[in-house]
Amino acid sequence: DPHENNERFRLMGLIQRYLDWGKNEFIGDPLTLINQQPIDPIGRLIGCYLLLGLRREKEVGEVTLELIRDFPMMSDSYVLHAAYLEAGMDIQESIKAYTAAMDIGIPIHSAGVSRLLNAITRYKIAHKNESLLRRVSQSQFAGCIWTAFSDFA
């Protein structure tokens, strides 16, 4: 049902904005977005970013591996997996996951862009897509949870 999908999409956006504005509680659990059936990759991504925002990094590990397996061309999957690895202090493996994300391209979620940019700066990861990532980050529309940017002068 298209109406139901639009409502779910709108709800995910509202929940994400609520957390981005510095609130640390909301009604519901991000795991509901992760565990919904049929599997919704965007819902899973948002659920994982919400868990990271709530400092529940350990809960995203298995989900990120499933996202990488099932949706290997979403760089967000690798960014989320890298955050999970970092939380477990596996820095070398997290650097590999951040590099894999850069190999694929720009994350679709603005939190992924920020996390990836911070990681390549923090770990001094040199990559051919770094300048594009920086340009996207600097040109993003304020308040948008998706990677939407303008490259117009």
Side-chain angles (χ1 to χ4, degrees), residues 12-31:
M12 288 188 288
L14 289 172
I15 291 169
Q16 180 64 43
R17 280 193 193 90
Y18 189 75
L19 287 178
D20 283 348
W21 290 336
K23 311 274 190 225
N24 286 326
E25 72 285 336
F26 70 100
I27 297 171
D29 189 326
L31 292 175

Side-chain angles (χ1 to χ4, degrees), residues 22-148:
K23 311 274 190 225
N24 286 326
E25 72 285 336
F26 70 100
I27 297 171
D29 189 326
L31 292 175
T32 59
L33 295 174
I34 291 169
N35 295 325
Q36 64 188 342
Q37 294 296 323
I39 292 174
D40 177 357
I42 301 302
R44 283 188 159 200
L45 287 179
I46 291 175
C48 287
Y49 281 118
L50 290 169
L51 287 172
L52 293 180
L54 293 168
R55 306 245 183 247
R56 291 168 56 184
E57 294 92 349
K58 293 178 182 175
E59 295 178 58
V60 303
E62 187 66 34
V63 178
T64 61
L65 290 174
E66 291 171 7
L67 283 167
I68 289 168
R69 181 193 68 216
D70 297 339
F71 308 99
M73 297 311 293
M74 289 193 322
S75 63
D76 292 84
S77 304
Y78 296 89
V79 171
L80 290 163
H81 188 61
Y84 164 74
L85 292 167
E86 270 185 304
M89 301 309 292
D90 194 345
I91 303 305
Q92 291 307 313
E93 288 301 312
S94 72
I95 290 171
K96 289 179 186 175
Y98 283 125
T99 302
M102 289 293 291
D103 289 343
I104 292 168
I106 304 300
I108 61 173
H109 196 288
S110 63
V113 171
S114 300
R115 283 183 175 277
L116 187 53
L117 185 57
N118 289 337
I120 66 168
T121 302
R122 182 173 55 253
Y123 298 123
K124 298 175 180 34
I125 301 170
H127 197 279
K128 64 181 178 163
N129 290 333
E130 179 181 353
S131 63
L132 175 60
L133 181 67
R134 289 188 186 284
R135 208 167 79 231
V136 168
S137 177
Q138 293 166 354
S139 303
Q140 271 192 281
F141 295 121
C144 186
I145 67 169
W146 306 112
T147 303

